[in-house]
Amino acid sequence: MFAFIQCKVLLCKVSILSNITDGRPLTHTLHFLLDSAETESMWGEELCTWTQGFSLFGILVASYIVIKQTWKVICGLKTHILSRWWKTDLTQYGRWAVVTGATDGIGKGYAQELAKRGLDIVLISRTLEKLQKVAAEIEKEFGCKTRIIQLDFTKGSHIYQTIQAELKGLEIGILVNNVGMKQYDLPAKFLDVPDLDKMTRIILPQMVQRKKGLIINLSSEAGNRPLPKGIIYSATKVFVDFFSRGLHVEYKKAGITVQSVMPLLVSTDMTYNMKPNIFIKTSRAYACEALNVVGYAQRTSGCLSHSLQSYVLSLIPDILLNTISSMNSLENNFKKLQNKHNKSKKKK
């Protein structure tokens, strides 16, 4: 811009000299030269003002980004480092914990860790043999009480009457919830809306009555952004996350904590028992770290490794992440893992 102004002034001066040679009065030429100098000075001052303004704006934007990222790091350290030494006493919520999908994967990990921390466990799943086996393991390892409820959540809403009858009289302080949820289109509090998540509906009222309770809903990192070739899974996890955050706001004044847990890869049957490493946690190790952050974070990736991965993913533009997610090579790798997992299951 400044170079353009200088060129314009130079052209003016050349024009002036041409006018002089054409025999025009010298006084007119001098006045024109003075006006040109004033114009050049005004443009220079205006340019300086704009430059200073843009510089200040750039400094403010850069400061905001630095402060925001620094705050994220501080919160992450607080959540995942301090929580290892100052853990929330989970028995304060109540004597019993209810875990759905408790015989495999993350559900089983939560059941084991909750028992380790002094709670009695209600295990809910569809396979009776697995329920009995896990219940026996927990009782033997941790010396706590267990109850089992065998049912299939895909069999219709009548199953919740059975659950309600089985849970009657128990002081349930914690619910680890993996049950599907429906949506409702009228603005109203959760307990005032019919046909939503039945498990939460069964247990939440007694929590409200006692003014304390913890509900843990398992969402996924896939709920943070659309996941090409996994859009149904991604969309349902978005709902779980939004449901949890909204429910927490509605009932936190009643002493209820609702936590949305958004893991990345955990070594379970769902991920074809991928080999654990620095990025992939075992279900037990993941549940341990995720329970540590109760009281520190209402929405969490669960463990330090997953939080760091989630942070890096948040820096990748959507167009690039979508391209990577849509790659055939990624799909082929998962198919290979699936085939390998299926073969190993047949051998057993």
Side-chain angles (χ1 to χ4, degrees):
M1 183 71 179
F2 190 70
F4 174 76
I5 294 169
Q6 286 180 320
C7 290
K8 204 165 183 183
V9 172
L10 181 61
L11 288 171
C12 288
K13 289 179 180 178
V14 172
S15 177
I16 291 166
L17 291 173
S18 176
N19 289 340
I20 293 173
T21 57
D22 288 343
R24 294 190 179 181
L26 184 58
T27 54
H28 289 180
T29 304
L30 290 173
H31 281 303
F32 187 77
L33 283 170
L34 289 171
D35 290 341
S36 298
E38 289 177 3
T39 302
E40 183 178 354
S41 176
M42 289 174 61
W43 274 99
E45 290 176 2
E46 186 175 349
L47 178 64
C48 184
T49 302
W50 276 100
T51 302
Q52 291 175 348
F54 279 121
S55 297
L56 179 61
F57 178 75
I59 291 170
L60 290 174
V61 171
S63 299
Y64 170 76
I65 293 172
V66 170
I67 291 170
K68 183 179 180 181
Q69 300 307 318
T70 302
W71 179 248
K72 279 187 175 182
V73 172
I74 292 171
C75 290
L77 289 172
K78 175 188 173 184
T79 299
H80 296 291
I81 304 301
L82 292 181
S83 63
R84 294 186 181 186
W85 287 276
W86 288 280
K87 300 175 184 177
T88 301
D89 179 12
L90 299 179
T91 58
Q92 67 176 303
Y93 294 110
R95 179 181 171 186
W96 287 86
V98 175
V99 184
T100 62
T103 56
D104 293 292
I106 295 176
K108 181 179 178 181
Y110 267 100
Q112 292 170 325
E113 283 299 316
L114 287 167
K116 182 180 178 180
R117 300 184 191 209
L119 286 98
D120 295 328
I121 311 296
V122 178
L123 306 164
I124 303 178
S125 190
R126 63 182 177 181
T127 308
L128 182 59
E129 289 181 3
K130 285 186 176 181
L131 280 168
Q132 292 171 338
K133 181 182 177 182
V134 173
E137 289 173 355
I138 288 175
E139 288 182 1
K140 182 179 179 180
E141 184 175 357
F142 305 109
C144 66
K145 294 180 181 179
T146 63
R147 290 194 181 188
I148 60 173
I149 302 176
Q150 186 265 323
L151 50 81
D152 187 344
F153 283 105
T154 64
K155 297 302 182 182
S157 59
H158 67 277
I159 64 169
Y160 294 100
Q161 296 176 0
T162 303
I163 295 173
Q164 192 164 14
E166 292 286 342
L167 298 179
K168 188 175 181 180
L170 297 181
E171 183 188 73
I172 299 168
I174 298 175
L175 167 64
V176 180
N177 201 352
N178 289 310
V179 181
M181 304 174 189
K182 295 181 182 179
Q183 190 174 3
Y184 191 67
D185 56 5
L186 296 178
K189 276 194 170 185
F190 174 75
L191 289 179
D192 301 327
V193 180
D195 299 323
L196 267 170
D197 174 52
K198 299 289 198 310
M199 283 302 302
T200 309
R201 175 172 293 279
I202 290 169
I203 295 171
L204 183 58
Q206 64 154 283
M207 290 181 172
V208 173
Q209 187 176 8
R210 292 185 292 108
K211 297 184 178 180
K212 57 183 177 180
L214 170 64
I215 298 172
I216 298 172
N217 289 327
L218 269 296
S219 179
S220 169
E221 175 66 24
N224 272 325
R225 282 198 266 190
L227 182 66
K229 298 188 177 180
I231 54 174
I232 302 301
Y233 178 77
S234 177
T236 58
K237 293 305 180 181
V238 171
F239 178 73
V240 173
D241 180 42
F242 274 44
F243 174 85
S244 304
R245 290 156 67 183
L247 192 66
H248 178 74
V249 172
E250 287 182 6
Y251 289 96
K252 64 180 179 180
K253 289 183 179 179
I256 313 302
T257 298
V258 184
Q259 187 184 56
S260 176
V261 182
M262 309 180 76
L264 282 86
L265 290 175
V266 178
S267 181
T268 64
D269 283 344
M270 183 178 174
T271 57
Y272 313 122
N273 291 319
M274 300 171 78
K275 187 177 180 181
N277 54 44
I278 191 172
F279 301 110
I280 303 171
K281 290 281 187 178
T282 64
S283 57
R284 179 77 179 267
Y286 179 81
C288 177
E289 287 197 47
L291 284 172
N292 286 347
V293 304
V294 170
Y296 288 88
Q298 183 269 324
R299 186 174 186 253
T300 177
S301 294
C303 65
L304 180 59
S305 171
H306 287 194
S307 291
L308 290 172
Q309 292 176 66
S310 179
Y311 175 72
V312 172
L313 287 172
S314 71
L315 301 177
I316 301 175
D318 283 348
I319 187 169
L320 179 57
L321 194 62
N322 290 340
T323 301
I324 295 171
S325 301
S326 302
M327 290 173 64
N328 289 329
S329 59
L330 191 65
E331 184 178 358
N332 292 335
N333 286 335
F334 269 96
K335 284 183 178 179
K336 288 178 182 178
L337 281 171
Q338 185 180 25
N339 292 333
K340 185 179 178 181
H341 177 67
N342 291 337
K343 286 180 182 178
S344 63
K345 286 183 76 174
K346 286 180 180 178
K347 288 180 180 178
K348 291 179 181 180

